[in-house]
Amino acid sequence: MSAVQNVLVVGGGLAGAGVAVRLARAGVAVDLVEVKPDVHALGSGITLQGNALRELDGLGVWEAARERGYAFDVTGFRAPDPVGTELFAVPDARTGGPDYPAVMGMSRPELAQLLHDRAAEVGVKLRYATTTTDLAQDADGVDVTFSDGSSGRYDLVVGADGVRSWTRRMLGIELETRSTGMGIWRSFGPRPASVTRTDLYYGGPCYIAGYCPTGEDSLYAYLVEDAQDRSTLGPEEQLATMRELSQAYHGPWDEIRETLTDPSKVNYTWFETHVLPAPWNRGRVVLIGDAAHTCPPTIAQGGAQALEDAAVLGQLLVERDALDADLWDAFHDRRVERARTVVEASNQLAQWQLDHVQGDIPSLMRTVAQLVSQPA
Ligand SMILES: Cc1cc2nc3c(=O)[nH]c(=O)nc-3n(C[C@H](O)[C@H](O)[C@H](O)COP(=O)(O)OP(=O)(O)OC[C@H]3O[C@@H](n4cnc5c(N)ncnc54)[C@H](O)[C@@H]3O)c2cc1C
């Protein structure tokens, strides 16, 4: 028998959808509430490392994801010069093992759709445009009220509601989320034939200019700058700013720039970070994914770490027969230091760029790759 019989998951991102699938598949009754109205509201493109792909396989969506995404095994480095000179290309570590490509780009809404379809297939009750308004727990369960006025009682509540987690605040957990000092422009658009992998350009007006193919017909492109208040810019001004910053980058960027015409496909956000020390649970409520740890996407591991949290929590809840201190100890032993190492390495990479310091990037990347190559 599993440690829990019915669970509420708050948030339908990678962490929430992941844990919901794992539990429902094992016969646990799972409700998932997502504040957004549908999965299509869930972002633009994402770079998935091998260890994330291994977790997608564990959820039963790898084959479908592979058909939609764009896989590659090498990252290129180009100069911010008038022709975008290719400097060198580095094989990416296959952190998911030999059965998966090193990296795959994918549209976030498509990935969310796959995971939500899988969740529905295994019996998760998905409720969109719904959130929680109150939580009260006792020794045997958690009473929850929802924004539509309904209520429920659960053996466990999983707060997978992202960096500004409502669940975390409801638990009274003080956690400082700080800006790392960088902001990122992102656009989503068509893939020029010349883009078959991620290329990174360091220097020029931005810290990093890059792109990642997300499917046969799509890619996302990004420019990382000093964090600044861009909130006063309207959509057309945002588009113009991204186009202007991109003028320094050439090669495939010349073609990408031509496609930067739709303001609704451009987005600006700051890089933020936090790590919650153990424990991540308070009684029968637990935080996973960005709610517990978040990092700048300098190693593109946030999504993988969210999926790994989901996998480990799901596995323990299904295999153990009691929601007790042993279960939580095992969960924290397997997750907290691993996630912290990834966050700190991601922050270090960002800091070296901010300080214009030539840090030992290969060594840092090797350490993270070795760590995440081990199954979570
Ligand atoms: C600019 C940027 C680029 C990134 N690029 C990458 C990348 O390329 N690769 C990578 O692996 N990672 C990347 N990341 C990190 C990655 O996006 C996150 O680590 C990952 O999405 C975390 O998943 P999550 O499920 O924990 O949280 P989220 O994806 O934030 O999902 C949380 C969900 O909860 C919902 N929600 C919030 N509040 C409530 C509520 N009160 N009630 C109900 N629902 C709620 C939200 O709508 C959302 O759907 C990037 C992050 C940023 C900021």
Side-chain angles (χ1 to χ4, degrees):
M1 195 164 94
S2 55
V4 286
Q5 303 308 307
N6 76 331
V7 171
L8 171 68
V9 178
V10 185
L14 295 175
V19 76
V21 167
R22 287 182 179 273
L23 293 175
R25 192 173 57 185
V28 176
V30 181
D31 288 350
L32 186 155
V33 288
E34 167 55 54
V35 73
K36 291 189 179 153
D38 60 64
V39 289
H40 300 290
L42 300 178
S44 64
I46 188 162
T47 302
L48 296 165
Q49 306 289 346
N51 59 319
L53 304 179
R54 178 172 58 205
E55 297 305 337
L56 294 183
D57 205 3
L59 294 170
V61 298
W62 164 234
E63 294 301 332
R66 177 163 52 185
E67 280 172 23
R68 289 166 178 77
Y70 197 105
F72 50 96
D73 290 296
V74 171
T75 295
F77 292 84
R78 289 177 181 266
D81 65 18
V83 290
T85 303
E86 187 176 330
L87 301 171
F88 53 91
V90 178
D92 294 303
R94 288 192 166 223
T95 55
D99 297 340
Y100 308 98
V103 187
M104 192 174 81
M106 200 170 172
S107 138
R108 281 186 187 249
E110 280 195 67
L111 177 58
Q113 185 73 62
L114 278 184
L115 289 169
H116 285 219
D117 286 351
R118 178 74 176 133
E121 183 183 287
V122 297
V124 175
K125 194 171 155 210
L126 293 153
R127 298 168 65 185
Y128 297 99
T130 307
T131 184
T132 32
T133 53
D134 199 22
L135 285 181
Q137 60 173 313
D138 55 43
D140 303 319
V142 191
D143 291 310
V144 181
T145 53
F146 298 100
S147 49
D148 60 5
S150 62
S151 59
R153 183 170 170 83
Y154 299 91
D155 294 339
L156 175 73
V157 173
V158 180
D161 44 357
V163 62
R164 308 211 188 291
S165 173
W166 175 90
T167 312
R168 193 176 67 229
R169 275 181 281 127
M170 275 304 287
L171 292 172
I173 295 174
E174 301 280 338
L175 181 64
E176 188 205 353
T177 304
R178 67 173 178 87
S179 160
T180 64
M182 288 171 158
I184 184 168
W185 289 99
R186 282 180 296 173
S187 67
F188 192 72
R191 179 183 71 87
S194 57
V195 174
T196 57
R197 66 182 190 205
T198 285
D199 283 328
L200 299 172
Y201 303 58
Y202 286 98
C206 297
Y207 291 104
I208 311 169
Y211 41 76
C212 174
T214 50
E216 274 308 310
D217 303 321
S218 66
L219 107 175
Y220 75 103
Y222 45 93
L223 299 165
V224 179
E225 62 172 14
D226 281 317
Q228 49 199 289
D229 184 3
R230 298 289 200 179
S231 62
T232 55
L233 299 181
E236 290 290 349
E237 291 167 310
Q238 291 204 346
L239 175 67
T241 305
M242 186 166 180
R243 279 186 70 102
E244 179 57 31
L245 284 170
S246 77
Q247 297 289 349
Y249 304 102
H250 299 283
W253 258 108
D254 290 326
E255 289 179 274
I256 294 169
R257 188 163 34 256
E258 291 310 307
T259 68
L260 282 180
T261 53
D262 181 352
S264 72
K265 303 287 187 205
V266 170
N267 156 285
Y268 183 71
T269 187
W270 285 11
F271 288 172
E272 295 180 311
T273 186
H274 63 217
V275 188
L276 183 63
W280 289 354
N281 76 302
R282 298 291 185 275
R284 292 175 172 273
V285 184
V286 62
L287 302 174
I288 62 170
D290 273 16
H293 49 84
T294 194
C295 54
T298 41
I299 316 183
Q301 267 292 326
Q305 293 307 302
L307 286 166
E308 288 185 1
D309 287 351
V312 173
L313 181 63
Q315 185 198 4
L316 290 169
L317 290 170
V318 167
E319 289 180 2
R320 303 285 177 101
D321 52 16
L323 190 65
D324 57 12
D326 282 351
L327 185 150
W328 291 123
D329 286 348
F331 176 63
H332 294 122
D333 283 351
R334 285 170 64 182
R335 292 309 307 154
V336 179
E337 277 316 302
R338 182 165 166 130
R340 174 189 297 284
T341 302
V342 168
V343 170
E344 288 177 353
S346 305
N347 290 344
Q348 178 66 79
L349 274 176
Q351 197 58 49
W352 280 334
Q353 288 169 59
L354 284 163
D355 296 343
H356 302 285
V357 167
Q358 182 65 48
D360 188 353
I361 298 173
S363 162
L364 189 74
M365 295 299 274
R366 221 172 12 253
T367 303
V368 173
Q370 279 167 359
L371 174 71
V372 302
S373 294
Q374 304 303 318

